[in-house]
Amino acid sequence: MTAAPDHTPTFAALTPMERLDKATPILMVPVLVVLGFLAIGSTSSWLTLTVSGLAMGMMIFIMASGLTLVFGLMDVINFGHGAFISVGAFVGVSVLVALSGWTGAASLMLNLAAILLAVIAAMSVTAVLGWGFERVIVRPVYGAHLKQILVTVGGLIVIEQLIHVVWGPSEIYINRPEMLQGAVTFAGAAIEKYRLLAVAVGLVLFVAMRLVLRRTKIGLIVRAGVENGEMVRALGYRLSLVFIGVFVAGSALAGLGGVMWGLYQEVITAGMGERMMILVFIVVIIGGLGSVEGAFIGALMVGLLQNYIAFLEPKLALISNIGLMTAILMWRPQGMLPVVKAK
Amino acid sequence: MVTWLLSGDKPRSAILAALLIVILVCLAGAPFLFPGVRSLETAATICIFIVLAASYDLLLGYSGIVSFAHTMFFGLGAYGVALGTTHLGRSFGALATGTLAGALAAAALAFLIGLFSLRVRAIFFAMITLAVASAVAVLVSQLSNITGGEDGLSYRIPRVLTPAFRPFDEEVLGIRFTGKIINYYLVFFSCFALFLVMLRVVNSPFGRVLQAIRENDFRAEAIGYRVVRYRTTATCLSAAVAALAGAIYAIWLRYVGPDTTLSFEIMLDILLMVVIGGMGTMYGAVIGATIFVLAQNYLQNLMGAASEATHSLPLIPELLSADRWLMWLGVLFILSVYFFPTGVVGRLRAGR
């Protein structure tokens, strides 16, 4: 007779190293900021660069959050996400142009009201578009990655061309509203006002998203669906309905990101979403597929690193994102905070 | 003989066989059948894109891997030739060195990307190749002292291959025989040979394993095939062939630039060619590339005419304008993924 295998569960506390390993992803952003400070030396340029890096990161996060949730929840990878960014930007800018009386006025309230209206218009249009996209393009190809990539790329092409049909083939230049132009000076550093607004919007959105995901019933279902969809379905929840909701919300967020990015660049083109998708994918990969927190950390790192490197060594800035992605994947092949198990 | 040349992979459809023969004859006799600079350009482009689409099909159709970096490898080959002739002078040796260097660089880069991304999950590969390819495209346009930046590079190829070379004083078969035609036959025969090599690869035991992995990678691994190793090899091979196609294109055009070799538009073109022609069969690449290049060169005129004819109606002329042909191809692309996942070739074979 063989002896029963030893089964002695241990209740030892985590060692400091293990704790550090768990906390590393969260610590990476502050560490990067400190490293940037050491490398740059001058407080005022460092502050300017940090704020612009954070603003860029927040905008990328807004665009990336929907994509990563959609992937986590339904294992759908949507290459057409970039089209929503472009459409959002074009709709939003059209509204802003129509409200040029409000944006030209030297009143912060009127300016913000114009932006709010533009954002609402852009988000509603992209939400409807997302719903249609899910119905027509994505629905028939659940579970087949290869086909998903192909048809969503096809959708991207068609929507981009439709933008050309509706708004004409040339890019559109847009001025930021009167009160959001220029910069404020703080501790000797010039900080553009619009960047502060972008950081604020991004932070509010992240906190709201976390609250919804952690504190509400629907958030619980979404998180459970990401981790084990079959079990959630077995418990009687209509996960496909939840999924459509997340897809529509993600598309609306892409529209919001498009408006904000368009105002940041002050020029919009039909191809802008396609170009942003590259950054969005890098962020989603280094954050870990399906993880909103990971996307947040990843977006901030990408934004900060790109701004620091552009200041320190302009030639390297082009490949800094690829370098960051390579380093993270060597360290954690699944991304920093993976939620979805490798399939 | 024919069976041996085709590596035992016959067209298996009378219409398809007839189409392939027509394409082969037209391409082989292009300088004599369709005299004129433009039709010769079209024929050479078709030859090169057949090889490019075939090498992409090795990934997409046979291995089930989606890559968005295929134009990057194509561009590496093209820039290899351009830099080779710029620095080593006007000789065939320089062309060969550049071609070889480009192909090796492409294979090495593909190996690195494959090691990183194919190890984890195939879906990473699509996203990572997209990121890497865009970084390389930006890098090429920024490093203007090496690559010529957005303007690209023009260079001189051996005189035998240029229109200035006239071996015969009188006309041959009714056309003036110049070095350009020699150049065309260099393109044609290299592409033909490369295509037959690709056909050999996919019909070898190696190709069968790739298809097994595409169908069920878990099972292939269980049977004892190293899935990662096979996928990485396929990626490298496909990258090297793409680079060779790029080198041929560079020799033909005597110019390289980001727009002609590296742009994302070309990547989409290749994707459309392979899907419309038929994934998972080399003949699909032939049909797809031929249809696509012909459409690109001649359909736009037709659409322009249609747009003119409907100019009194609202919106329709905009939709039919020649610049919007990519939109219709996109629609066609989505429809063919849904309804004809096997493409033109699959349809023809099924309807036998």
Side-chain angles (χ1 to χ4, degrees):
Chain A
M1 223 181 121
T2 51
D6 282 330
H7 182 67
T8 45
T10 49
F11 292 98
L14 291 174
T15 64
M17 275 317 282
E18 281 168 334
R19 278 164 190 268
L20 187 67
D21 192 47
K22 277 198 160 176
T24 340
I26 296 150
L27 286 176
M28 297 218 17
V29 175
V31 167
L32 193 63
V33 171
V34 171
L35 282 180
F37 182 68
L38 294 179
I40 291 165
S42 135
T43 317
S44 59
S45 356
W46 169 77
L47 200 60
T48 310
L49 289 171
T50 306
V51 171
S52 82
L54 286 178
M56 189 176 162
M58 292 295 181
M59 284 186 273
I60 300 174
F61 164 70
I62 294 173
M63 302 178 212
S65 51
L67 190 77
T68 197
L69 266 184
V70 165
F71 186 88
L73 198 60
M74 224 59 173
D75 206 20
V76 165
I77 190 77
N78 180 10
F79 274 73
H81 200 69
F84 302 136
I85 297 174
S86 301
V87 170
F90 273 86
V91 171
V93 166
S94 304
V95 170
L96 282 178
V97 168
L99 292 176
S100 53
W102 290 14
T103 56
S107 142
L108 189 62
M109 286 314 288
L110 274 182
N111 289 172
L112 286 182
I115 291 191
L116 194 66
L117 275 181
V119 162
I120 290 173
M123 287 180 76
S124 351
V125 170
T126 47
V128 172
L129 198 67
W131 181 76
F133 200 81
E134 200 275 339
R135 268 292 151 98
V136 179
I137 308 249
V138 182
R139 176 73 60 86
V141 287
Y142 275 152
H145 275 161
L146 186 74
K147 283 190 172 181
Q148 269 167 20
I149 296 176
L150 295 179
V151 289
T152 52
V153 167
L156 174 73
I157 299 175
V158 173
I159 294 181
E160 248 186 51
Q161 294 291 317
L162 280 174
I163 291 179
H164 281 307
V165 171
V166 177
W167 278 281
S170 51
E171 67 263 35
I172 298 177
Y173 291 90
I174 170 96
N175 281 328
R176 285 177 207 153
E178 192 66 30
M179 293 303 286
L180 291 170
Q181 288 174 3
V184 291
T185 317
F186 175 77
I191 298 169
E192 278 188 44
K193 290 179 199 164
Y194 184 73
R195 289 184 177 153
L196 289 176
L197 178 73
V199 173
V201 172
L203 268 183
V204 167
L205 203 76
F206 176 66
V207 171
M209 222 161 167
R210 240 190 101 92
L211 283 181
V212 170
L213 283 175
R214 300 271 157 187
R215 296 287 159 83
T216 63
K217 174 112 186 200
I218 186 82
L220 184 70
I221 298 174
V222 169
R223 279 187 299 132
V226 169
E227 244 169 63
N228 192 341
E230 258 172 55
M231 185 55 87
V232 177
R233 248 183 249 119
L235 289 172
Y237 293 103
R238 285 168 64 189
L239 204 55
S240 58
L241 218 60
V242 177
F243 173 67
I244 295 175
V246 170
F247 198 98
V248 168
S251 312
L253 285 178
L256 169 63
V259 179
M260 300 203 53
W261 189 254
L263 278 175
Y264 180 62
Q265 296 279 318
E266 298 193 286
V267 56
I268 53 171
T269 63
M272 65 182 274
E274 198 182 296
R275 272 194 300 284
M276 287 311 292
M277 276 315 277
I278 290 158
L279 280 181
V280 167
F281 277 141
I282 291 179
V283 162
V284 169
I285 290 175
I286 63 182
L289 291 166
S291 156
V292 173
E293 284 85 1
F296 187 68
I297 297 171
L300 291 187
M301 284 177 72
V302 164
L304 286 170
L305 194 70
Q306 183 150 341
N307 276 280
Y308 289 155
I309 303 244
F311 178 78
L312 294 169
E313 195 66 54
K315 278 219 152 44
L316 278 181
L318 302 166
I319 48 171
S320 69
N321 297 325
I322 302 286
L324 178 67
M325 182 174 76
T326 315
I328 300 263
L329 285 183
M330 278 169 87
W331 171 51
R332 289 194 173 171
Q334 305 277 346
M336 284 188 298
L337 298 167
V339 177
V340 189
K341 309 264 178 335
K343 282 169 194 148
Chain B
M1 175 69 183
V2 173
T3 315
W4 178 80
L5 265 185
L6 297 183
S7 312
D9 187 1
K10 290 183 198 152
R12 298 209 308 274
S13 151
I15 305 173
L16 179 60
L19 270 178
L20 289 172
I21 290 170
V22 168
I23 291 173
L24 180 66
V25 168
C26 287
L27 288 179
F32 304 100
L33 292 171
F34 316 102
V37 179
R38 186 164 177 214
S39 48
L40 198 63
E41 280 301 327
T42 311
T45 315
I46 292 177
C47 291
I48 291 156
F49 272 89
I50 285 175
V51 173
L52 192 58
S55 64
Y56 192 62
D57 196 25
L58 176 65
L59 278 188
L60 184 67
Y62 284 88
S63 319
I65 302 171
V66 184
S67 156
F68 286 102
H70 216 60
T71 42
M72 178 176 79
F73 302 128
F74 185 62
L76 274 178
Y79 273 95
V81 166
L83 294 176
T85 45
T86 312
H87 295 295
L88 298 177
R90 187 185 192 182
S91 68
F92 280 103
L95 291 186
T97 316
T99 308
L100 211 63
L104 284 179
L109 193 56
F111 181 70
L112 279 181
I113 299 176
L115 271 193
F116 263 105
S117 39
L118 290 174
R119 199 159 50 104
V120 186
R121 48 193 303 176
I123 199 153
F124 265 34
F125 194 73
M127 298 193 263
I128 288 178
T129 49
L130 186 67
V132 172
S134 75
V136 167
V138 175
L139 211 59
V140 165
S141 61
Q142 294 291 319
L143 297 174
S144 47
N145 49 346
I146 305 173
T147 59
E150 290 289 337
D151 296 334
L153 292 170
S154 293
Y155 41 86
R156 287 144 62 86
I157 56 172
R159 189 165 176 276
V160 184
L161 299 177
T162 63
F165 178 71
R166 301 255 166 81
F168 312 111
D169 284 334
E170 63 271 23
E171 297 190 332
V172 179
L173 295 172
I175 59 154
R176 186 176 288 142
F177 200 87
T178 66
K180 194 79 184 166
I181 292 176
I182 301 181
N183 197 345
Y184 176 75
Y185 278 106
L186 178 71
V187 170
F188 174 75
F189 283 111
S190 336
C191 290
F192 192 55
L194 278 175
F195 181 76
L196 291 181
V197 169
M198 297 296 291
L199 209 53
R200 181 67 261 171
V201 168
V202 296
N203 288 297
S204 66
F206 173 75
R208 292 277 179 271
V209 176
L210 285 185
Q211 290 173 51
I213 292 172
R214 175 194 67 192
E215 293 304 327
N216 192 337
D217 57 346
F218 190 63
R219 187 162 179 199
E221 183 93 54
I223 295 171
Y225 294 107
R226 302 285 293 270
V227 169
V228 175
R229 192 175 292 176
Y230 274 90
R231 277 187 177 150
T232 313
T233 315
T235 315
C236 293
L237 196 64
S238 147
V241 176
L244 291 178
I248 300 171
Y249 198 45
I251 294 173
W252 170 253
L253 277 184
R254 291 182 284 163
Y255 162 81
V256 293
D259 287 342
T260 50
T261 51
L262 286 171
S263 69
F264 191 66
E265 277 71 36
I266 299 182
M267 189 61 245
L268 293 180
D269 293 352
I270 304 172
L271 203 60
L272 291 168
M273 285 176 200
V274 171
V275 170
I276 291 172
M279 287 184 277
T281 148
M282 284 288 145
Y283 298 119
V286 179
I287 304 281
T290 311
I291 294 177
F292 189 90
V293 176
L294 285 179
Q296 195 169 30
N297 280 307
Y298 299 104
L299 186 74
Q300 290 193 30
N301 300 349
L302 210 67
M303 283 181 62
S307 171
E308 286 290 306
T310 54
H311 68 95
S312 53
L313 303 169
L315 202 64
I316 293 180
E318 294 283 310
L319 287 172
L320 286 177
S321 128
D323 297 335
R324 297 287 84 78
W325 74 293
L326 198 59
M327 184 179 80
W328 295 106
L329 273 178
V331 173
L332 183 67
F333 176 76
I334 297 173
L335 291 179
S336 60
V337 172
Y338 285 150
F339 300 112
F340 316 108
T342 48
V344 175
V345 170
R347 274 275 120 167
L348 288 176
R349 281 184 171 170
R352 184 169 47 140

